[in-house]
Amino acid sequence: MKIYDNPGREQWASLTARNAIESAPVGEVVSSIITRVREEGDSALFDFCRTIDGVSLTSLEVSEAEIESACERVSPELKASIESARDHILRFHEAQRMSPVRVETMPGVCCYQRAVPIDQVGLYVPGGSAPLFSTVLMLAVPAFIAGCRHVVMCTPPDKSGSVNDLILFSARLCGVTHIYKVGGAQAIAAMAYGTESIPKVNKIFGPGNRYVTEAKQQVSRTEVSIDMPAGPSEVLVMADETAYPEFVASDLLSQAEHGPDSQALLVTSSHAFAEQVMNCVEQQKQILSRASIIDQSLANSRIIVLDSREKMTDFANCYAAEHLIVSMENPWDIVSHITSAGSIFVGNYTPESAGDYASGTNHTLPTYGWARSCSGVNLDSFTKKITIQEITPDGLQCLGPIVESMAQAESLTAHRNAIAVRMKTLNSKKC
Amino acid sequence: MKIYDNPGREQWASLTARNAIESAPVGEVVSSIITRVREEGDSALFDFCRTIDGVSLTSLEVSEAEIESACERVSPELKASIESARDHILRFHEAQRMSPVRVETMPGVCCYQRAVPIDQVGLYVPGGSAPLFSTVLMLAVPAFIAGCRHVVMCTPPDKSGSVNDLILFSARLCGVTHIYKVGGAQAIAAMAYGTESIPKVNKIFGPGNRYVTEAKQQVSRTEVSIDMPAGPSEVLVMADETAYPEFVASDLLSQAEHGPDSQALLVTSSHAFAEQVMNCVEQQKQILSRASIIDQSLANSRIIVLDSREKMTDFANCYAAEHLIVSMENPWDIVSHITSAGSIFVGNYTPESAGDYASGTNHTLPTYGWARSCSGVNLDSFTKKITIQEITPDGLQCLGPIVESMAQAESLTAHRNAIAVRMKTLNSKKC
């Protein structure tokens, strides 16, 4: 990790830059996968399972028996941990319910806003090097709180045709009953267009590799909504002399192990602290299992030394981190000035990994600078807000002339006419 | 308009289909416009003004003097109408503020959710056949309530290089100070990437033609968020014998005048009522100014007769209309069963045009079936929700083991280590 001492603001654009993501070659591969799934349905999915996942399946849906025996294999201790995490996520997302809005904007004109669940949602849970069962909790818990009626899940099978026990246990715990052994771009296509086995959904959630992300972007142009654009995971740690270098080092490392393209930034008030953190990183790395991934992602990482809390805060806002750790004196004062971040971790005893699993916040968060304009997954993500209005005859007598004059000024005479025919009826009733 | 009497459910897919949107040829034109704006900045914008809008400009930004004189030319009556509409929109969107969420998910583990304004937003207001100043109100009012610090607006100039008086008056009324004379895909590119005159924004809002829509979709892949995918406007009217055929006809016509690709559907319980509506459409059309547009869009429109309230409601949910008018007995009973719609208009005296201008609800709504998964523009659209967590040392003693066991099970040892180094420090302090 390179240390940059008090870089001028003209250098911030390059210091807040993410690793470039290539997408052109992936785009064509993904679009051909989508076309095949649309045209051939299940038969294309079975074929991709053979050629990509290396397994011949006889059924795409995970059976009840498979789920039961998976659950039996999970240790009671781990079950209890997952259940606690589920409870925390449930409690925090339950509290996000909006109150229905009702406003009488003028006498006789009532406007309402209600959150209504999205009927059919699809959850994608990656397989691969680590079985991300925590993602099941993060997506399925709010889906059911929101009231989505149909929740389906796709996840790739392993070489033996099975799905990881912890993924199945977590799905069962959250109430997901329809789970399909399909991964990659083909899973996204199946949920977007529907096949014989897999129902078409209205919105697709979940992380994935470049193929999955590209597929989500392609299907979202015409068919379904998606949770957010996803890029490599990232953390920015703000730390002053009140922070512990060994804690900061552990947070940078936990980000770095996600993947070779992950990015970890440290913004600190002290060069000496930066050096201490680098020493701790070297020490702690020795005992970790994913050292080669960590080495690659640390190559994308930076330490920035800045000489004021204001500059440090500005830099953090400029970067718009997915995860922002604030290990500073008076951290809530900093937090109140943060304008862009996915999720914020306050103080020395709030590591990112707590939020990744079990504090209660969602870990599906905007990366790659999207935190400037996008929220992480939350209860809202599984609903749409519908507005309703009701106008009484007396209300229309007052509002009508306003609408008529505006419609006339926009040259939309049929809009004016819709008021006029009603006013005429009201006036004739009066006589 | 063709009447379909009691079609079977197997026909609903075709009866709820929208007109196909062509996009392939537009895609390449738009991508070359975006590339030129990125590479040449203002000079490309001046050039597009000459070649597309047919006017040579010396400055892209609307001057203070231009805004002042435009405001002087607006009649006091129209000013009063626009101010009333603004007040209603303000009141309804102000009521949409979320309360901050705070939940202690377990002792010592506090999770928060806050809405934070998007810093820089860009509003696109189409010019063309009708000056849509109402769109200025619908976008600028919630932007300022949300607290967005930088609000810029682009709208195409007319042949004399001016912007419509009512658009400038509405912008001034809502507090928009930076207005640029740029239209089409080039305006979207300018706000997405920034030019010498026009600042780069984080999110772009507003309707537009196929070029604008395509440009929004293209820039949203990498640079900025957009409000929603936009397609041709549409209405579905549910009406039984308690409705007035002349009111329903006026609503179908006000939808039809938007553009030749607009769609108006009537779902009714009675064939006789359908016939009456068709007669009223023919009569009312005589006095309207946009008859040729109306004829084209009525060709895309349909009347469906269904023999139960349940079927009518199911059909409306299947269509997922941008605008849904419920002119039925006990309309709120129907409304409570609606699962997909952009905005709902309840009863005989609530025409769509009231919501288009002045009831207080937003008129920027999901079309083309996107109402299944997307909300219309609302206060949320101008904010992102950030989560925050703070864990005390005691809290981490309880939560830590849960996180450690889950991280271990996902094979993420650095995530576990971030807990372990903190627990070690806590335990050594105790001794």
Side-chain angles (χ1 to χ4, degrees), chain A residues 399-420, chain B residues 77-79 81-82 85 129-135 137-138 164 166 170 250 253-255 257-258 288-290 351-359 363:
Chain A
L399 188 69
I402 296 169
V403 175
E404 285 190 278
S405 68
M406 292 175 73
Q408 183 64 35
E410 284 194 354
S411 313
L412 295 176
T413 53
H415 280 63
R416 191 189 57 178
N417 179 58
I419 304 290
Chain B
E77 296 72 27
L78 194 49
K79 278 183 180 165
S81 290
I82 297 174
S129 57
L132 298 182
F133 61 90
S134 56
T135 298
L137 307 180
M138 295 296 175
N164 177 275
L166 296 168
S170 301
S250 75
L253 285 164
S254 73
Q255 187 56 53
E257 79 172 335
H258 271 295
L288 301 176
S289 56
R290 294 161 71 96
E352 184 204 309
S353 52
D356 285 343
Y357 290 107
S359 65
H363 78 194

Side-chain angles (χ1 to χ4, degrees), chain B residues 319-341:
Chain B
Y319 185 72
E322 179 191 16
H323 306 98
L324 173 65
I325 300 178
V326 184
S327 290
M328 305 270 290
E329 206 174 356
N330 298 325
W332 285 96
D333 167 57
I334 301 279
V335 170
S336 69
H337 291 94
I338 292 298
T339 56
S340 290

Side-chain angles (χ1 to χ4, degrees), chain B residues 324-402:
Chain B
L324 173 65
I325 300 178
V326 184
S327 290
M328 305 270 290
E329 206 174 356
N330 298 325
W332 285 96
D333 167 57
I334 301 279
V335 170
S336 69
H337 291 94
I338 292 298
T339 56
S340 290
S343 192
I344 306 177
F345 301 78
V346 181
N348 290 324
Y349 291 93
T350 314
E352 184 204 309
S353 52
D356 285 343
Y357 290 107
S359 65
T361 60
N362 209 291
H363 78 194
T364 313
L365 295 167
T367 55
Y368 218 74
W370 288 104
R372 295 180 193 112
S373 54
C374 298
S375 312
V377 165
N378 60 76
L379 190 61
D380 277 354
S381 315
F382 296 88
T383 71
K384 61 254 177 177
K385 293 185 177 175
I386 297 180
T387 54
I388 308 168
Q389 52 249 286
E390 184 175 38
I391 304 176
T392 63
D394 285 348
L396 196 66
Q397 297 273 19
C398 299
L399 188 68
I402 296 170

Side-chain angles (χ1 to χ4, degrees), chain A residues 86 140 144 151 169-178:
Chain A
R86 191 271 321 258
F144 283 104
V151 180
F169 170 74
S170 301
R172 158 67 54 95
L173 181 68
C174 297
V176 182
T177 48
H178 296 288

Side-chain angles (χ1 to χ4, degrees), chain A residues 78 81 84-85 88 91-92 95-96 101 103 105-106 109 111-114 116 118 130-134 137 166 202 214 217 220-222 224-225 244 246-247 250-251 253-254 257-258 284 287-290 332 335 339-346 348-351 353-359 361 370-375 378 380 384-391 393 396 399 402-403 405-407 409-415 417-419 421-422 425-426 429, chain B residues 78 81 84-85 88 91-92 95-96 101 103 105-106 109 111-114 116 118 130-134 137 166 202 214 217 220-222 224-225 244 246-247 250-251 253-254 257-258 284 287-290 332 335 339-346 348-351 353-359 361 370-375 378 380 384-391 393 396 399 402-403 405-407 409-415 417-419 421-422 425-426 429:
Chain A
L78 195 49
S81 290
S84 290
H88 300 164
R91 215 166 291 156
F92 183 56
Q96 294 169 19
V101 174
V103 179
T105 54
M106 76 190 290
V109 180
C111 297
Y112 305 78
Q113 187 194 37
R114 291 180 180 176
V116 177
I118 297 172
L132 298 181
F133 61 89
S134 56
L137 306 180
L166 295 168
N202 308 129
E214 174 67 24
Q217 289 206 313
S220 73
R221 281 181 65 96
T222 53
V224 296
S225 293
Y244 294 67
E246 66 271 33
F247 296 2
S250 75
D251 292 330
L253 285 165
S254 74
E257 80 172 334
H258 270 296
Q284 292 178 22
I287 57 159
L288 300 176
S289 57
R290 294 161 72 97
W332 284 96
V335 170
T339 55
S340 288
S343 193
I344 306 177
F345 300 79
V346 181
N348 290 325
Y349 290 92
T350 315
S353 53
D356 286 343
Y357 290 106
S359 66
T361 60
W370 288 104
R372 296 181 191 110
S373 54
C374 297
S375 313
N378 61 76
D380 277 354
K384 61 254 178 178
K385 294 186 175 174
I386 297 180
T387 55
I388 308 167
Q389 52 247 285
E390 183 174 41
I391 305 175
L396 196 66
L399 188 69
I402 296 169
V403 175
S405 68
M406 292 175 73
E410 284 194 354
S411 313
L412 295 176
T413 53
H415 280 63
N417 179 58
I419 304 290
V421 294
R422 286 167 167 93
T425 301
L426 286 175
K429 277 185 183 170
Chain B
L78 194 49
S81 290
S84 291
H88 300 163
R91 213 164 294 156
F92 183 56
Q96 293 169 20
V101 174
V103 179
T105 53
M106 76 190 290
V109 180
C111 298
Y112 305 79
Q113 187 195 39
R114 291 180 180 177
V116 176
I118 297 172
L132 298 182
F133 61 90
S134 56
L137 307 180
L166 296 168
N202 308 128
E214 173 68 22
Q217 289 206 311
S220 73
R221 281 180 66 96
T222 53
V224 297
S225 294
Y244 294 67
E246 65 270 34
F247 296 1
S250 75
D251 293 329
L253 285 164
S254 73
E257 79 172 335
H258 271 295
Q284 292 179 21
I287 57 159
L288 301 176
S289 56
R290 294 161 71 96
W332 285 96
V335 170
T339 56
S340 290
S343 192
I344 306 177
F345 301 78
V346 181
N348 290 324
Y349 291 93
T350 314
S353 52
D356 285 343
Y357 290 107
S359 65
T361 60
W370 288 104
R372 295 180 193 112
S373 54
C374 298
S375 312
N378 60 76
D380 277 354
K384 61 254 177 177
K385 293 185 177 175
I386 297 180
T387 54
I388 308 168
Q389 52 249 286
E390 184 175 38
I391 304 176
L396 196 66
L399 188 68
I402 296 170
V403 175
S405 68
M406 291 175 74
E410 284 193 354
S411 314
L412 295 176
T413 53
H415 280 63
N417 179 57
I419 304 289
V421 294
R422 287 167 167 92
T425 300
L426 286 175
K429 278 186 180 171

Side-chain angles (χ1 to χ4, degrees), chain B residues 133-397:
Chain B
F133 61 90
S134 56
T135 298
V136 179
L137 307 180
M138 295 296 175
L139 300 180
V141 167
F144 284 103
I145 297 174
C148 302
R149 282 194 306 169
H150 304 283
V151 180
V152 306
M153 195 175 108
C154 285
T155 189
D158 64 19
K159 297 267 181 251
S160 71
S162 304
V163 170
N164 177 275
D165 291 345
L166 296 168
I167 289 178
L168 293 182
F169 171 74
S170 301
R172 160 64 55 94
L173 180 68
C174 298
V176 183
T177 48
H178 296 288
I179 308 166
Y180 302 92
K181 295 174 186 173
V182 187
Q186 56 275 24
I188 304 304
M191 293 191 281
Y193 294 96
T195 70
E196 300 89 326
S197 298
I198 301 179
K200 177 175 167 58
V201 302
N202 308 128
K203 189 168 181 178
I204 298 175
F205 296 80
N209 60 21
R210 281 165 55 201
Y211 293 86
V212 168
T213 299
E214 173 68 22
K216 284 171 67 184
Q217 289 206 311
Q218 287 190 18
V219 299
S220 73
R221 281 180 66 96
T222 53
E223 282 306 312
V224 297
S225 294
I226 59 173
D227 49 357
M228 71 184 73
S233 191
E234 65 203 22
V235 72
L236 186 147
V237 182
M238 297 173 72
D240 60 16
E241 288 85 351
T242 67
Y244 294 67
E246 65 270 34
F247 296 1
V248 172
S250 75
D251 293 329
L252 299 175
L253 285 164
S254 73
Q255 187 56 53
E257 79 172 335
H258 271 295
D261 50 6
S262 294
Q263 198 173 56
L265 264 63
L266 167 61
V267 179
T268 178
S269 52
S270 146
H271 188 95
F273 184 86
E275 300 272 8
Q276 289 174 303
V277 170
M278 284 180 77
N279 290 337
C280 292
V281 164
E282 285 308 311
Q283 280 165 27
Q284 292 179 21
K285 217 174 62 181
Q286 309 309 320
I287 57 159
L288 301 176
S289 56
R290 294 161 71 96
S292 90
I293 291 176
I294 289 173
D295 281 335
Q296 290 174 71
S297 57
L298 288 185
N300 311 321
S301 299
R302 303 169 195 129
I303 300 180
I304 321 290
V305 182
L306 290 170
D307 58 14
S308 77
R309 285 166 68 92
E310 288 66 34
K311 279 189 201 162
M312 291 172 72
T313 308
D314 287 353
F315 190 93
N317 284 328
C318 189
Y319 185 72
E322 179 191 16
H323 306 98
L324 173 65
I325 300 178
V326 184
S327 290
M328 305 270 290
E329 206 174 356
N330 298 325
W332 285 96
D333 167 57
I334 301 279
V335 170
S336 69
H337 291 94
I338 292 298
T339 56
S340 290
S343 192
I344 306 177
F345 301 78
V346 181
N348 290 324
Y349 291 93
T350 314
E352 184 204 309
S353 52
D356 285 343
Y357 290 107
S359 65
T361 60
N362 209 291
H363 78 194
T364 313
L365 295 167
T367 55
Y368 218 74
W370 288 104
R372 295 180 193 112
S373 54
C374 298
S375 312
V377 165
N378 60 76
L379 190 61
D380 277 354
S381 315
F382 296 88
T383 71
K384 61 254 177 177
K385 293 185 177 175
I386 297 180
T387 54
I388 308 168
Q389 52 249 286
E390 184 175 38
I391 304 176
T392 63
D394 285 348
L396 196 66
Q397 297 273 19

